[in-house]
Amino acid sequence: MENERNIFVIGLDDFHRRLLQTVRGAEHYRFHGLIPYDRIVNPESYPLEDLLHDAQRELDRFPGTVDAIIGHWDFPTTSLLPLLQAHAGLPGPSLEAVLRCENKYWTRAEQAEATPDATPPFALVDPQDDAVLDDPPLPYPFWLKPVVAFSSTLGFRIDDRGDLRHALARIRPAIGRFAEPFDALLQRARLGARRASLAGGYCIAEGIIGGRGCTLEGYVLDGEPHIYAVIDSLRGPNGVSFVGYHYPSELPERVSERMKETTRRIIRHIGLEHSPFNIEFFWDEANDDIKLLEINPRISKSHSPLFELVDGASHHEVAIDVALGRRPEFPRSEGEYRYAAKFMPRVYGDAEVTRVPKEDDVARLRRRFPDAQLAIHVREGQRLSELPDQDSYSFEIGEIFLGGDSRDELTERFHEAMRLLDFRFSSRVETNYD
């Protein structure tokens, strides 16, 4: 019998522990949480040195072998991984390569060198400098966002001077939450004279890009990037808020092949090694133009249940295999459904939550759709504006994962599921499911 392997997972929660049990060979793995969920996912602050020290001490005190360390959350999980892997004597990406992905300006600079045709206009912005109001970094309209953030947090579309003033007023008091831990990581990286220009307290201005969005899931091992899946990313009418993911993608193969080749070039150029990744693109169908949005040096947690529904296992399997130094054999199309989707019910306006689904509502949902997976992000009496880490234009009240035999069937199931769950608010608000 194969020896048991000890797999440490940063921010492990019950939802992802269940998904980890779907991977091939799970009976030979023992999964251990590393850094508690509430310290690494949406806390008020990220005391980077404390998080790192406590995790290293836990690994040092573990009585068995530490065979792999993985993570699926955004920053700072992704940046802590190479430090913890190196501490445990495990293979992994370099901190410098991961930080090239974390810092949006640094990523764009690398893209401009390796894949200029897929890179929109961009510029570095000091959000503390009022001079930007009179000398905007790009022609209007453009996007403005911190160089380090996630889930479109503090990201704004800038159409005029008034929008720019409003965005800066929102960004200035809040940017330190991500900038401070990122700067602590920069001090550990070998950057030389470039360190000052890569600090986390800056913003990036980017030209507007749009079209059909998608994400490529892949990994890099022994210097060679591999792409194993394409997932369609759906945005709402505002062009900002993610409202869903569909797997498998329905992009034309010739388009996805161009994206794959672009991905291989940029991953090699950045120097990412021994890591899973996902990389987001837009395809402007009218002009047959592709643009790269961002690179994440991790699997996408949002896609994990989609792979389970279609392929029979979460792509945590890829993260584990790569961490253990072996090439994944994934995906396998062994799931119950041809298609799967993550839907993100959103509300476009502030209100108080007056009703959330009860146990009976959830039970009805599971009787109707036995494979449905649900997460609720709000509670009764809460104002939507109190939700942490939202984009600047909507509020995500939950997540629901569904399988089906067609995309139309998935959409119908989503709307039926939301009727069964029966969220209610203090005032009439626009949603993406009514």
Side-chain angles (χ1 to χ4, degrees), residues 1 10 15 87 103 107 113 143 151 186-187 198 214 258 267 270 287 301 310 331 374 376 388-389 402 424 429:
M1 178 180 292
I10 296 178
F15 184 82
H87 178 82
N103 184 304
T107 303
E113 293 177 2
W143 287 106
S151 300
L186 279 181
Q187 296 305 311
L198 298 172
C214 72
R258 286 166 57 198
I267 291 295
I270 284 175
N287 297 312
K301 65 180 179 60
V310 174
L374 173 69
I376 298 171
D389 297 325
L402 296 163
R424 297 181 191 176
V429 287

Side-chain angles (χ1 to χ4, degrees), residues 45 48 83 115 132 161 172 185 197 199 208 211 237 250 267 278 305 344 359 364 372 374 380 397 426:
S45 63
L48 195 285
L83 295 173
T115 59
V132 71
R161 193 177 193 273
R172 284 170 175 170
L185 288 160
S197 65
I208 302 294
E250 292 190 336
I267 291 295
N278 69 80
M344 304 153 81
E359 287 185 11
R364 279 196 299 273
L374 173 69
E380 288 187 8
I397 62 173
S426 61

Side-chain angles (χ1 to χ4, degrees), residues 39 46-56 80 83 180-181 183-188:
R39 292 189 69 193
Y46 297 96
L48 195 285
E49 294 298 333
D50 289 344
L51 293 172
L52 182 60
H53 174 76
D54 291 349
Q56 290 174 337
L80 287 170
L83 295 173
E180 290 171 8
D183 288 346
L185 288 160
L186 279 181
Q187 296 305 311
R188 293 175 170 272

Side-chain angles (χ1 to χ4, degrees), residues 66-69 82 84-92 274 323:
V66 176
D67 298 298
I69 307 172
L84 293 172
Q85 289 164 334
H87 178 82
L90 299 171
H274 213 101

Side-chain angles (χ1 to χ4, degrees), residues 110-178:
E110 298 288 336
Q111 290 172 26
E113 293 177 2
T115 59
D117 291 345
T119 306
F122 65 97
L124 192 65
V125 176
D126 182 353
Q128 310 300 333
D129 187 356
D130 280 335
V132 71
L133 291 167
D134 298 315
D135 186 18
L138 294 175
Y140 298 121
F142 57 86
W143 287 106
L144 184 70
K145 62 188 78 170
V147 294
V148 182
F150 55 79
S151 300
S152 300
T153 304
L154 298 177
F156 296 89
R157 179 186 168 106
I158 308 299
D159 287 305
D160 53 36
R161 193 177 193 273
D163 287 345
L164 184 54
R165 181 181 294 278
H166 169 75
L168 293 174
R170 291 279 301 278
I171 290 169
R172 284 170 175 170
I175 195 170
R177 179 167 172 245
F178 298 109

Side-chain angles (χ1 to χ4, degrees), residues 172-409:
R172 284 170 175 170
I175 195 170
R177 179 167 172 245
F178 298 109
E180 290 171 8
F182 183 82
D183 288 346
L185 288 160
L186 279 181
Q187 296 305 311
R188 293 175 170 272
R190 299 182 181 90
L191 300 175
R194 299 191 65 187
R195 181 176 285 116
S197 65
L198 298 172
Y202 287 103
C203 288
I204 183 172
E206 297 179 327
I208 302 294
I209 57 176
R212 291 173 61 177
C214 72
T215 303
L216 277 60
E217 289 277 2
Y219 64 91
V220 57
L221 199 59
D222 298 325
E224 186 61 32
H226 302 270
I227 297 97
Y228 58 86
V230 183
I231 297 93
D232 288 339
S233 307
L234 310 181
R235 293 182 185 254
N238 62 20
V240 181
S241 306
F242 282 111
V243 296
Y245 300 97
H246 281 177
Y247 173 63
S249 170
E250 292 190 336
L251 279 179
E253 185 175 355
R254 64 176 181 82
V255 176
S256 62
E257 285 300 320
R258 286 166 57 198
M259 292 177 177
K260 290 176 182 178
E261 180 53 36
T262 299
T263 296
R264 295 183 189 103
R265 290 205 307 272
I266 187 61
I267 291 295
R268 292 190 186 106
H269 187 79
I270 284 175
L272 190 67
E273 173 60 281
H274 213 101
S275 175
F277 63 81
N278 69 80
I279 182 166
E280 299 176 40
F281 285 93
F282 278 109
W283 175 45
D284 180 345
E285 191 169 0
N287 297 312
D288 195 23
D289 182 42
I290 65 170
K291 287 288 187 286
L292 197 159
L293 181 60
E294 67 179 36
I295 306 167
N296 299 298
R298 57 171 173 80
I299 64 168
S300 168
K301 65 180 179 60
S302 292
H303 300 159
S304 298
L306 307 186
F307 286 108
E308 180 190 12
L309 290 164
V310 174
D311 295 301
S314 166
H315 65 329
H316 282 89
E317 185 172 311
V318 173
I320 293 169
D321 282 342
V322 171
L324 292 173
R326 63 191 183 207
R327 182 167 177 170
E329 297 178 11
F330 190 90
R332 294 184 296 277
S333 300
E334 296 174 357
E336 294 293 322
Y337 300 96
R338 288 184 60 203
Y339 294 91
K342 173 184 177 178
F343 292 103
M344 304 153 81
R346 288 191 177 273
V347 177
Y348 301 94
D350 195 14
E352 182 180 313
V353 181
T354 58
R355 186 185 189 278
V356 297
K358 313 299 183 188
E359 287 185 11
D360 288 348
D361 302 317
V362 177
R364 279 196 299 273
L365 173 70
R366 300 205 187 284
R367 286 195 298 270
R368 179 69 181 90
F369 306 118
D371 293 317
Q373 299 177 43
L374 173 69
I376 298 171
H377 298 336
V378 293
R379 64 181 187 277
E380 288 187 8
Q382 180 181 27
R383 288 203 69 81
L384 294 173
S385 53
E386 297 171 355
L387 285 168
D389 297 325
Q390 302 293 300
D391 68 41
S392 302
Y393 301 96
S394 69
F395 304 100
E396 182 185 348
I397 62 173
E399 303 172 354
I400 184 166
F401 298 88
L402 296 163
D405 292 327
S406 70
R407 287 200 167 199
D408 288 342
E409 183 180 44

Side-chain angles (χ1 to χ4, degrees), residues 9-14 33-47 51 54 73 76-77 177 388-389:
V9 187
I10 296 178
L12 181 59
D13 59 356
D14 291 341
L34 183 65
I35 305 178
Y37 173 90
D38 57 0
R39 292 189 69 193
I40 201 71
V41 182
N42 298 330
E44 291 185 3
S45 63
Y46 297 96
L51 293 172
D54 291 349
W73 301 107
T77 293
R177 179 167 172 245
D389 297 325

